[in-house]
Structure formats: C-alpha cells, structure tokens
Amino acid sequence: MQPLQDYAVTLGATYLGDGKTGFEVWAPLASRVDLHILAPKDRVVSMEAAPCGYHQAVADNVEPGSLYRYRLNDKERPDPASRFQPDGVHGPSQVIPFDFAWHDQSWSGIALKDYLIYELHVGTFTPEGTFDAIIPRLDYLTELGVTAVELMPVAQFPGARNWGYDGVYPYAVQNSYGGAEALKRLVDACHGKHLAVVLDVVYNHLGPEGNYLWDFGPYFTERYKTPWGPAVNFDAAESDEVRKFFIQNALYWVTEFHIDTLRLDAVHAILDRSPRPFLLELSEAVHEQAKRLNRRIHLMPESVDNDPRLLRARELGGFGLDSQWNDDFHHCVHVLLTGERTGYYADYSQLNQLAKSFRDGFVYSGEYSRFRKRRHGSASRDIPAERFIVFSQNHDQVGNRMMGDRLFQLAGFEGAKLAAGAVLLAPFIPLLFMGEEYGETAPFAYFISHGDPELVDAVRKGRRGEFRALTGEKEPPDPESEATFQSAKLNHDLRAQEPHRALFGLYQRLIRCRKEIPCLVDLNKDAVEVVGDDKKKLLFVRRWSGEDEAFMLFNFNSSAMTFEPPFACGRWSKLLDSAEEEWRGRGSAIPERLDAEKETALRISPLAFVLFRRELKNSGSAARERAAGPAGSAGPARSAGPARSNR
C-alpha cells in the first residue's frame, strides 16, 4: 500500500497564514515555470524546480482572494489544481481560505446499508440554482425519509449551466453554485439533519473547453480511446503523478469538505492495465483516510461492465469499492413499464430477468447480449446486497433521452407507483432522482453553456446524430439554449396537487416500511425468495429476518392478474396496496388478511403492487396491526420461522 503521506494535499495554492501562500504545480513539459500574481498587486515570482517535474514557491503578501496564473515558458494558464475560478474556466485562479467553522464534530457518517440516496442537480433543484438555496429544503428531504443527498458534479465547468460532466478543474467548486464556502455550508447543514453527502466525481475524462492540462504534463494518453477522446493517463509513462493528482483530489473532498461518499463516474472508461490499477490505489487511499478521520467513507462506482471485481475485497483480488450502480435493475423495470426495446433495452424483455436481479444483482453474468453482440458480465451472486444501488430513474436514464422525459410521463401514474414499490422494496440500496417522489413533469434534457461557438455547434450536431436513427428528423432540445436549462427546473409546487400528493405519500410510506420492518431493513440475499411469471408479468418476492417476514407481489401487466402465493402456511396482514383509493388507485380486490392454509388466490390490479406482513400466533386483529403502522409498537407475533415455499 502506498504511504498515505504521499498523497498529502499540497497541489495548488495553500494559504499558510501571515500573508504567505505556498504553491505547487506538476509541469514536467515546461522547462521554466513562474508564478504570476495578478491581484492585488501584479508581480511575477520564480518557482523552484523539484523532483518528478514539480515546481514550488512560497510567496509573501498573498492572502485569500489573490488572483494568479502559472507562466509555462511563454504562455500563461490557470492552476490545474485551482480551488476557485471566479471568472470561469479561462480566467485566473484564486487563493481561498481552508478554515471553516464546522458544526459536525459528532458526525461520523452512516453505515452503507442505511443509505437511501436522493440524487439532485444543484442548478435545477431550486429556482436559485445554488448550494445555499438547497439548505432550506433539507427539511423536505428528511420529511421524505432519505438518508443521503447525492450532488451531481460540482467541479468548475464552462459557463453557468451544465450537467457537470464537462468539468475541467477537479479541485475548484463551481462559481455559479457559490464556490467552496457555500458547498461546506451545505455539507455542514446536511450533517446537522443526519443526512450523508455523496459527491459525484469524474476521473475518466475532462471537458472539452478550458482543459489546459495538456500544457502542463502527460495527463492523457493516445494508448486508449474513449467517447471523449484520448484516455486519462493512468498506466503509461509518468502516470504515477497523474494518479496522485486524482487521488489527492478524492482526499481533498473527503477531508476538506467532509464528503461522506464519492460516486465515481463511468469507471469502465478508466482504462488501466497496470498490475496495481488506479481504482485499487484510490480505494486503499480513501479507506485509509477514513480510518484516520474515524469516519465512514464510501466509494460508489458507476460501470456498465457488470464486473464484480470492483466490489470484491482486495484480499480476494477485487478493488474494494463499496457499492455499485446497477443499471440492469433499471433496464428491467423500464422495459416492463414502457415496452421500449431500442438500444440497450433490447436485452431486457423478460420479467424473469428482473427476478434474477432481485436475487443476484446483475442480470447479465456471462450471457450473450444482443445489443453488445457478445457475452457480457460476470456472476454477482456472492456480492452482498448493500453493494448494489438500484433505481427506476437517474440523471443518465432521464437526461440521455432525447427529450429528457421522465418515467411519470412514460409509464403514467400507476406505473410510477409500481416503479417506486420495486425500487424501495428491493433488498438493495435505493436511489431516487430529484422530483420522482412526486412525479415531477419538468424534463431533464442535456444542457451546456460553452463559450466556443464551434464547440456548441459540434455538440448540437452530435446530439442530432445520436438520436436520428431512432427518431428520424425530430429535433432534440437545443443544449445551448437557456430555455432548455430553465425547463429542467423542478416545480416543487406540484407536490401539493393530485395525483402528485398521493405519489409523494406513497414514497413516504414505502420508505417508512423499509426503515421500520425488520425483514425489509435487513439487506440479505440469502433471506430472499423470488418467483417470476413471465406470461402474466407477475413478480413475487418474499423476504425474512429472524421471525419477521413479508411478501410483495408486483403486477407489470396492464390487466388484472390472479396469483397463488407459493407458501404453505401462515396468516398475513396487508400493509400497503398501491391500487387502493388512499393512493388514488383503481380499487383493489385483495383482502386485508390472508390465510395461506386456505390457498387463497390473489387478484391484483393492473400495474399495481401489494405488501403483506406475516402475522404471528398471538397477534391481534389485522385492523389493529395495520393501525399500528408498518412496524407496530407491539411488533409481530412469534412463529417458528419464515414460511416455507411449497415449490
């Protein structure tokens, strides 16, 4: 393991006090590097060459607020490790203070199994589009019941509006969002509400505008190609210092900003053949820092490869990352609810694939993929359930649609309720995308604000070409138009209207069930039975923990279906039925109580789900048990254990 001190955050500008600031930059491609202080007084300071291509200086009379650039031979560039770009990606860098009056000294993070993630985009979550504007809405998120707030990337990008994946200064917090101090205020406020903070970071590429890393060193390599051009150099000559640049960045977020979890964007595009891959080195450094800080800090990669090595322990040949986004789960739910079969959705046409995802995690674990025209994935049965993050929507699956349309429009109100049940009752970590909890109708299409007209034109042409094969001549929203960005702003007032209010209430009830019912709290693959009926499009799931037991039935059919639960004994009380009037449903024929010994058949409404909990022998009436809530204070009565399947 690399000594942690090797990753000490020294890159960039560090205010040392008494008017002194230390500067360090890696610039092996420059024969001479000078520090150009622009404000408050214009002057040039020579930098001293250090081993491995670094250049250093300590400058007097440079305090927070001072502006500077690096002069590489005869051209000037902002600092690659800039902490703030007040005038955007092409402007000078600014020295900022590192001190902040934190109030979260008692916060140590939350266990992985307790994460219930709410993903949001800072610029569109509120009318103001800033970190500070999110703080008054944290009570709303705690009312909903989530336990973690995930921020889409906040590293400085061109202009004032962007998804964040065009960031070019990994250490600098976006100026239009409020900068570093405002982000710290938000994190501090989240911890005060017992909310963990997940930050999306992008280590697989940098954006196309304002990326000056090429002038400093071999940050990129032609050895591999990615959708964004040459890959980040993680395994070629001089890659050690490139790795340090990004590992220091990860440590910067978790240490200086008290971030609890880093979501690692598209790690399948981090191309690295070295014996000790970058992701393993990153995992070791971050988890070692977590021990030093006495905090729970997690790494959550996104990958399309279905490779369980990301999640396996380092001792077992894995990378030791903590929990992965599972696109397979989303694709199964989406196809069942919308009927779409284009692109990668062509691989997901059977309900039994969703059943496999409930049991194992990945759907594709070595099977042939029609979309990829090859076998895909590896088995994930041995990976613990809390190592998978599931969702019915996220920024990619909404925003990469041509019109940015949400599931509420695609699948309707009943479909949205069914998707909520599938995600929140699954034995994995759930993720909600901002607004889905009340059926937001604002589209979340792709948007940018680049300053280069040729680049803007290239992005427009690229978006048209991407969708032309699917939609003909239909035009996607103009990504450069401010109207596209403004249309993505959430309308929180919808939550007070029907059917949005009912949907929000259903999300609250599901989350409460998930938190309070022991067998739903316990994320254990070995305590899950799943039965799928492809013909009827029915999914039966039974979960248990100790003597507590529940089952749920999901109907993805547009017609009512009859189903006989595959258990042989027990009495069961209905806790939640999405077809009932309470949730503005079409009405339900499912009784309040079931006696399995009478082989009761259930007739479930179209696009509906139902949740039952097993009664124990000394339990009272179903009415009393249901009135007590999802986990009534008296708790369930005792039994000999989970009901056994008669299959």
Side-chain angles (χ1 to χ4, degrees):
M1 180 182 296
Q2 193 89 355
L4 194 61
Q5 59 265 28
D6 286 1
Y7 305 115
V9 178
T10 56
L11 285 170
T14 304
Y15 182 62
L16 305 173
D18 296 326
K20 296 180 182 294
T21 297
F23 295 86
E24 181 173 85
V25 61
W26 184 59
L29 298 183
S31 59
R32 176 183 174 86
V33 180
D34 293 316
L35 171 67
H36 184 186
I37 307 296
L38 300 167
K41 183 180 180 180
D42 194 301
R43 59 197 170 103
V44 175
V45 177
S46 296
M47 301 190 76
E48 180 180 344
C52 300
Y54 288 92
H55 298 261
Q56 301 168 333
V58 174
D60 294 320
N61 301 315
V62 178
E63 299 194 4
S66 300
L67 300 176
Y68 69 98
R69 295 180 191 267
Y70 291 125
R71 182 174 292 173
L72 310 173
N73 299 331
D74 58 351
K75 56 187 174 185
E76 293 197 354
R77 294 290 184 259
D79 185 351
S82 169
R83 302 308 198 266
F84 192 47
Q85 291 293 119
D87 299 321
V89 298
H90 303 293
S93 304
Q94 186 175 75
V95 179
I96 65 170
F98 282 174
D99 57 322
F100 181 80
W102 290 97
H103 301 89
D104 66 349
Q105 288 79 6
S106 62
W107 175 261
S108 60
I110 62 176
L112 189 62
K113 67 180 180 62
D114 295 326
Y115 269 69
L116 203 164
I117 303 168
Y118 189 92
E119 184 191 21
L120 64 84
H121 179 269
V122 175
T124 58
F125 183 66
T126 66
E128 300 87 351
T130 63
F131 297 122
D132 284 329
I134 296 172
I135 294 174
R137 297 185 184 271
L138 295 181
D139 286 337
Y140 162 74
L141 296 179
T142 59
E143 177 190 356
L144 173 60
V146 299
T147 62
V149 177
E150 177 172 328
L151 305 176
M152 289 176 63
V154 303
Q156 184 71 42
F157 50 74
R161 55 186 185 273
N162 194 288
W163 276 19
Y165 298 95
D166 288 321
V168 289
Y169 293 92
Y171 291 79
V173 181
Q174 175 66 19
N175 55 3
S176 60
Y177 291 170
E181 290 288 308
L183 176 57
K184 290 178 181 179
R185 287 193 293 270
L186 173 58
V187 174
D188 198 41
C190 284
H191 291 168
K193 301 288 184 182
H194 306 287
L195 293 167
V197 179
V198 182
L199 180 63
D200 195 340
V201 293
V202 185
Y203 296 157
N204 55 66
H205 76 286
L206 271 74
E209 181 180 350
N211 176 11
Y212 296 111
L213 290 184
W214 300 91
D215 296 324
F216 286 85
Y219 280 91
F220 303 93
T221 175
E222 298 285 349
R223 189 174 183 179
Y224 312 107
K225 296 295 184 182
T226 76
W228 308 280
V232 176
N233 176 21
F234 287 118
D235 67 355
E238 300 191 83
S239 59
D240 287 355
E241 309 314 318
V242 178
R243 288 175 177 232
K244 286 182 181 180
F245 178 83
F246 288 102
I247 290 173
Q248 282 193 17
N249 180 259
L251 298 178
Y252 176 62
W253 293 122
V254 302
T255 305
E256 181 66 24
F257 289 84
H258 295 199
I259 297 295
D260 300 286
T261 292
L262 297 177
R263 184 260 187 188
L264 307 175
D265 181 61
V267 299
H268 53 269
I270 293 178
L271 304 172
D272 178 1
R273 295 179 183 173
S274 64
R276 186 163 173 265
F278 165 75
L279 289 174
L280 173 59
E281 192 174 352
L282 174 69
S283 173
E284 290 175 344
V286 170
H287 289 124
E288 180 65 21
Q289 183 72 338
K291 292 178 184 177
R292 289 167 58 99
L293 297 173
N294 194 28
R295 284 172 37 212
R296 297 183 181 97
I297 299 174
H298 308 294
L299 295 171
M300 295 179 173
E302 176 208 17
S303 173
V304 300
D305 286 343
N306 283 16
D307 187 351
R309 288 177 297 180
L310 292 172
L311 303 174
R312 288 205 175 101
R314 295 184 289 276
E315 297 78 12
L316 298 176
F319 294 165
L321 304 177
D322 296 293
S323 191
Q324 176 179 336
W325 282 32
N326 185 5
D327 282 350
D328 277 3
F329 186 98
H330 165 271
H331 298 344
C332 290
V333 171
H334 185 90
V335 170
L336 287 167
L337 288 176
T338 67
E340 292 185 5
R341 295 289 191 276
T342 57
Y344 48 70
Y345 290 136
D347 280 339
Y348 302 88
S349 59
Q350 302 174 15
L351 183 130
N352 273 320
Q353 291 176 307
L354 181 58
K356 180 180 179 181
S357 190
F358 262 85
R359 282 191 298 266
D360 293 357
F362 295 146
V363 171
Y364 278 86
S365 53
E367 294 85 353
Y368 182 80
S369 159
R370 290 171 53 200
F371 173 69
R372 294 174 174 84
K373 295 182 174 60
R374 60 170 173 79
R375 289 174 293 175
H376 176 58
S378 187
S380 61
R381 178 66 189 143
D382 64 316
I383 304 298
E386 67 267 20
R387 300 288 179 114
F388 292 99
I389 299 165
V390 298
F391 38 82
S392 65
Q393 300 178 73
N394 63 39
H395 74 272
D396 270 331
Q397 303 303 337
V398 176
N400 283 331
R401 300 179 64 81
M402 186 176 76
M403 305 305 294
D405 36 359
R406 293 166 173 265
L407 191 63
F408 188 79
Q409 285 96 349
L410 298 171
F413 175 56
E414 299 300 331
K417 290 191 292 181
L418 181 54
V423 169
L424 289 166
L425 296 177
F428 307 110
I429 294 175
L431 177 143
L432 313 180
F433 181 56
M434 60 175 191
E436 77 165 76
E437 72 277 9
Y438 60 82
E440 178 60 66
T441 58
F444 189 72
Y446 183 68
F447 48 80
I448 58 171
S449 54
H450 292 320
D452 181 349
E454 291 185 4
L455 179 58
V456 171
D457 188 53
V459 172
R460 285 173 176 149
K461 289 179 179 177
R463 295 292 287 177
R464 290 191 198 105
E466 181 180 352
F467 297 111
R468 183 161 292 137
L470 302 176
T471 62
E473 296 302 316
K474 189 174 181 181
E475 285 284 317
D478 181 2
E480 176 65 19
S481 171
E482 186 172 354
T484 302
F485 167 70
Q486 291 295 335
S487 70
K489 297 264 187 180
L490 297 194
N491 178 9
H492 292 277
D493 293 339
L494 278 180
R495 186 164 60 98
Q497 307 170 22
E498 295 294 1
H500 306 280
R501 180 165 53 189
L503 183 59
F504 180 77
L506 180 67
Y507 269 85
Q508 285 183 302
R509 179 72 64 85
L510 282 165
I511 291 172
R512 194 161 69 244
C513 287
R514 182 183 176 87
K515 288 181 173 181
E516 297 178 359
I517 298 177
C519 64
L520 301 184
V521 172
D522 188 9
L523 305 185
N524 181 2
K525 286 183 179 179
D526 294 328
V528 179
E529 177 189 21
V530 187
V531 179
D533 187 327
D534 259 323
K535 185 176 181 180
K536 292 185 175 181
K537 294 186 179 179
L538 294 175
L539 183 70
F540 171 86
V541 180
R542 185 171 64 90
R543 296 176 59 184
W544 61 89
S545 179
E547 296 176 343
D548 189 67
E549 186 174 3
F551 81 81
M552 54 222 70
L553 181 62
F554 303 91
N555 181 13
F556 287 90
N557 204 308
S558 57
S559 301
M561 287 289 141
T562 301
F563 184 79
E564 292 188 12
F567 43 66
C569 61
R571 293 184 176 182
W572 305 76
S573 295
K574 184 166 69 170
L575 298 184
L576 200 156
D577 186 340
S578 67
E580 290 184 336
E581 292 183 4
E582 180 179 5
W583 313 116
R584 296 182 67 86
R586 300 162 177 163
S588 174
I590 294 179
E592 296 295 308
R593 300 182 77 189
L594 294 176
D595 188 339
E597 295 177 359
K598 297 179 181 179
E599 299 183 352
T600 303
L602 301 178
R603 185 162 180 80
I604 184 168
S605 299
L607 297 176
F609 73 91
V610 63
L611 170 65
F612 275 85
R613 190 178 184 190
R614 193 182 187 199
E615 297 178 12
L616 301 179
K617 291 182 180 179
N618 63 352
S619 63
S621 69
R624 289 199 303 273
E625 184 170 343
R626 198 173 186 193
S633 57
R638 296 192 171 274
S639 73
R644 301 300 175 193
S645 170
N646 60 4
R647 298 180 72 249

